[in-house]
Amino acid sequence: MKNTLSKALLAPLALAPIVLAAALGGAGCSQDARARKTAAGQSARSSISATGKLRVVATTGMVADLARRVAGEHATVEALMGPGVDPHLYKPTAGDVGKLSRADLVLYNGLHLEGKMGQIFARLARRRPVVAIAAKLPKARLLSPPEYPGAHDPHVWFDAELWSRTVARVVEALAEQRPASRAAFARNGEAYRGELLALDRWVVEQLAAIPKRRRVLVTAHDAFGYFGKRYAVEVVGLQGISTTSKASLKDIKRVADVIVARKVPAIFVESSVPRRTVEAVQAACASRGQAVRIGGELYSDALGPRGSGAETYLTMVRHNVRQIVEALR
Ligand SMILES: [Zn+2]
């Protein structure tokens, strides 16, 4: 699929994950990291089962969901990061360290998504199998922020076809720990991969309802670069405006220019962006005669909470796409 995304528009999105870990120190893509961490601690308190099943500990909900689908009845899979938790800033609690060190297998996204967990993965890897499921994806498919040579955008799950390519790595990782169940893992993996590829086609079909000139996703978050590339949607980020400092007029103008030029009817933001920033974008557009409203909430770096209709990877993608189509068509 041809990518209509211009490099100039992509850059601020793609570099954000690395910026977050390295430079902004809490601003940007994340919400209040401490609050989220507390929520994760509460949701991850259940004990790992000792029923002869493999004990798998995963970082994000998306990775855990994939592992559950592949492992089936042969493993218990626990996610460290609950709904609303920002993986870029997540620091493992003492309880997490205990779970990780008791796990038979640790699965994480990789590509520096879990920016604060590098040291613990390195330590764990001396004693336990620790697998970054996105680490061996084809380099040609990865987005490379030009500002950060050698680094890749880690948000690979936003391209369902690309995400489906991580299934094989999970099948292999599980089979290495439980060779007797290899056939079951392979079967489950094949079935799930089929669902992911069907989802990929569904996204293409749904987005076709949006006229081409209006296929512009304006969002605060860095996560949608792969979505834009795979599904021919321009992604325009407010990212780079710090959540702690005043909005940059230059960024607001840049985003407003696109909204007005393309007559974009809705923009998508996250609660991490101050209301005044959103209002400034709306005002900048209104002053030029373009009304723009706030689209629905998109889930990006974490699955939705129970009852959200976005509790699994498949339903999260469907939720996001429905919100986007509803607001832009
Ligand atoms: Zn992110």
Side-chain angles (χ1 to χ4, degrees):
M1 185 148 305
K2 189 90 170 70
N3 175 18
T4 58
L5 194 64
S6 86
K7 282 214 167 64
L9 294 177
L10 172 63
L13 305 167
L15 66 85
I18 300 103
V19 171
L20 283 167
L24 291 181
C29 151
S30 71
Q31 293 193 357
D32 183 339
R34 269 162 301 183
R36 291 174 151 197
K37 218 169 141 181
T38 307
Q42 283 163 356
S43 67
R45 209 158 277 162
S46 62
S47 64
I48 291 169
S49 88
T51 54
K53 297 183 178 189
L54 276 175
R55 292 167 303 185
V56 178
V57 173
T59 52
T60 69
M62 292 75 78
V63 175
D65 188 33
L66 197 158
R68 279 189 197 107
R69 293 296 309 269
V70 174
E73 61 188 326
H74 302 282
T76 58
V77 180
E78 186 168 5
L80 294 181
M81 304 174 192
V85 174
D86 181 347
H88 302 285
L89 299 180
Y90 187 80
K91 288 183 190 157
T93 63
D96 291 342
V97 175
K99 283 173 196 162
L100 288 164
S101 52
R102 286 189 300 273
D104 298 312
L105 173 65
V106 175
L107 297 174
Y108 68 109
N109 186 86
L111 303 176
H112 303 294
L113 177 73
E114 300 93 340
K116 306 273 187 193
M117 295 184 74
Q119 279 191 348
I120 190 166
F121 290 146
R123 275 204 307 274
L124 271 172
R126 291 185 216 131
R127 299 178 287 120
R128 292 256 177 268
V130 178
V131 176
I133 72 168
K136 298 218 169 139
L137 289 172
K139 288 277 185 292
R141 293 285 300 275
L142 299 180
L143 295 176
S144 307
E147 293 80 359
Y148 292 88
H152 298 291
D153 182 338
H155 302 88
V156 292
W157 58 92
F158 273 95
D159 172 340
E161 196 281 336
L162 189 56
W163 189 238
S164 80
R165 293 170 182 247
T166 65
V167 170
R169 191 130 164 84
V170 174
V171 168
E172 195 51 41
L174 287 165
E176 267 175 31
Q177 301 314 311
R178 188 58 58 86
S181 304
R182 176 179 285 275
F185 298 142
R187 210 163 42 237
N188 294 344
E190 203 43 49
Y192 190 50
R193 187 167 146 76
E195 289 182 50
L196 294 174
L197 295 176
L199 176 73
D200 182 57
R201 292 190 294 273
W202 180 86
V203 175
V204 172
E205 285 165 20
Q206 294 298 308
L207 292 175
I210 306 172
K212 227 168 189 174
R213 65 176 175 81
R214 279 157 64 145
R215 282 201 208 168
V216 183
L217 184 63
V218 181
T219 168
H221 195 259
D222 56 73
F224 292 85
Y226 288 97
F227 185 85
K229 186 180 180 195
R230 177 73 183 168
Y231 304 112
V233 174
E234 283 185 38
V235 181
V236 181
L238 272 163
Q239 184 70 39
I241 297 170
S242 166
T243 53
T244 53
S245 63
K246 282 183 185 169
S248 145
L249 290 175
K250 205 177 137 204
D251 283 329
I252 289 169
K253 185 182 179 306
R254 173 178 57 84
V255 170
D257 284 348
V258 176
I259 292 170
V260 170
R262 303 287 294 272
K263 296 188 165 48
V264 178
I267 58 179
F268 298 88
V269 293
E270 302 193 4
S271 49
S272 57
V273 175
R275 190 76 201 171
R276 65 177 183 278
T277 307
V278 178
E279 286 167 355
V281 173
Q282 284 181 306
C285 296
S287 73
R288 289 189 258 169
Q290 168 78 44
V292 62
R293 61 186 184 81
I294 310 301
E297 188 182 0
L298 302 181
Y299 294 99
S300 49
D301 284 10
L303 299 178
R306 193 165 297 184
S308 65
E311 299 93 334
T312 67
Y313 172 78
L314 294 170
T315 57
M316 170 208 197
V317 172
R318 287 194 198 109
H319 168 93
N320 285 346
V321 169
R322 285 196 188 103
Q323 296 285 333
I324 291 165
V325 171
E326 179 70 23
L328 295 185
R329 75 172 171 200

